Amino acid sequence: MLRAAVVALLLANGLFFGWARGWLAPALPPPHSGQREPERLAAQLNPERVVALPAPAASAAISAVRAAAIVCLEAGPLADASIAAAEATVAALKLPEGSVLREAAALPPLWWVYAGRAADATLMKARTEELTRQQISFEAVEAPADLAGGLLLSRHATRAEADAALAAIASKPLRFLRVVGLPAPPAQLWLRVPKADAVQQDKLKTLPADLLAGGFKACARR
C-alpha cells in the first residue's frame, strides 16, 4: 500500500510539472497561459507604434509631459477690501511659498477725446454732421452722468496720448473737442498661481467661488 501511494504521488507530481511547463498543451493549457509569451505578444495592439527611447530622450519626453500639465490660474478681480479674506482662503491650502502672487488689475483708459453736450439739438446735429463729413468716428456717451449726452471720439491710457490724438484732429479744425479725464475706479487685484501643477489645480478649484470672484480660472492675457 505504501509503495502504491508513493508511486501515485510521483505520478501526480510528474503530471502537475508537465502541465505547469505546458507539455500537455493544447489539451491542457498551462496556468496563466494568456500571460506568457507568445500569447502576450499576439495580444498587443499596434506594436509598431512602441518606440524605445534612449535615456536622454525619455527624460526630455517626461519633462515635456510634466510641463504641459502646469498651467497658470488666477482669481479676480478682487476689491482691495476683500483681498485679505481671499488670500487667507488660498493660504489654507498650504501651497509652496511664493507660488501665489498678487497682481494689480489694469486700469481702463481714463482719458477721452470728447465733444461736450451742445446747447440745443440743432447744434448737436451740426457737430455730428461735421464729424461724419470729416470721417471721424464717434459714439454717444451715456455714462458717467456728468459726460452723458456728449460724443466720445477715442480712449487713451494717458493724458499725453489723448492730447496727441486731439492735436491730430484739431488740425481739421474742430473747436468743440477737448480732453477729459475720468475718475479712477477703486483699486482691484488678481490672485495668480503662475505654475500650478495638477495637484494644485485640483486644490484651487475646490475653494469657495464666492470668496474669489468666481474662483480660479485660466489666466487671461492682459
Side-chain angles (χ1 to χ4, degrees), residues 2-21:
L2 181 59
R3 182 179 298 175
V6 170
V7 171
L9 183 60
L10 290 173
L11 287 174
N13 284 336
L15 287 171
F16 178 81
F17 181 77
W19 171 63
R21 297 301 295 268

Side-chain angles (χ1 to χ4, degrees), residues 6 10 13 21 51 56 64 68 73 106 111 119 130 132 136 144 150 154 161 172 181 183 212:
V6 170
L10 290 173
N13 284 336
R21 297 301 295 268
V51 178
L73 296 178
W111 295 95
E130 180 61 19
T132 301
I136 299 172
S154 58
E161 292 176 1
K172 305 283 179 153
L212 295 162

Side-chain angles (χ1 to χ4, degrees), residues 108-191:
L110 298 177
W111 295 95
W112 290 2
V113 176
Y114 170 81
R117 292 184 293 265
D120 55 59
T122 301
L123 181 55
M124 195 64 181
K125 182 180 178 182
R127 289 181 177 181
T128 59
E129 289 176 348
E130 180 61 19
L131 291 171
T132 301
R133 188 184 69 79
Q134 297 200 33
Q135 298 182 338
I136 299 172
S137 60
F138 60 89
E139 60 186 86
V141 175
E142 297 181 358
D146 58 335
L147 299 178
L151 303 175
L152 169 62
L153 278 70
S154 58
R155 298 176 175 85
H156 304 275
T158 66
R159 174 66 188 256
E161 292 176 1
D163 286 340
L166 177 60
I169 297 172
S171 62
K172 305 283 179 153
L174 298 171
R175 300 193 178 202
F176 54 85
L177 299 180
R178 58 192 172 96
V179 170
V180 296
L182 280 64
Q188 291 185 312
L189 298 165
W190 293 84
L191 286 183

Side-chain angles (χ1 to χ4, degrees), residues 40-66:
R40 277 208 270 186
L41 286 175
Q44 290 184 101
L45 297 176
N46 302 317
E48 70 280 358
R49 297 183 182 178
V50 178
V51 178
L53 297 176
S59 298
I62 292 171
S63 298
V65 171
R66 288 176 176 171

